[in-house]
Amino acid sequence: MARIDIRRPHTLTPMQARKVASAMAEHLEEEFGLESTWSSNKLEFKRSGVAGVMTVSSGDVHVVAELGFLVSLLKSRI
């Protein structure tokens, strides 16, 4: 399994950052069939071959995802 670990700073308020993360999750659901749910400030997402968490804080967004074998072949493009 391959792992993606990305952290990006932002200057948004926590509410604005969460709104952007939710919009991105909706797009990923439509585009790739990812299912997601919020738990506090963490957006958990999954689908066959992918599972991860996006943590939204006041200063950054941190995404950690585990990719199954077939999806891991696309890691460099993701």
Side-chain angles (χ1 to χ4, degrees), residues 13-73:
T13 67
M15 184 180 287
Q16 290 170 325
R18 184 177 168 136
K19 186 175 181 180
V20 171
S22 289
M24 185 173 59
E26 287 178 26
H27 171 73
L28 293 172
E29 180 179 350
E30 292 172 7
E31 189 76 19
F32 302 107
L34 251 64
E35 297 176 12
S36 60
T37 56
W38 281 101
S39 175
S40 185
N41 66 332
K42 296 181 182 203
L43 179 69
E44 298 175 8
F45 55 90
K46 66 179 177 177
R47 69 155 285 175
S48 179
V50 179
V53 175
M54 179 188 312
T55 305
V56 178
S57 69
S58 60
D60 68 8
V61 174
H62 186 200
V63 178
V64 177
E66 296 290 334
L67 308 177
F69 177 72
L70 292 176
V71 178
S72 69
L73 298 174

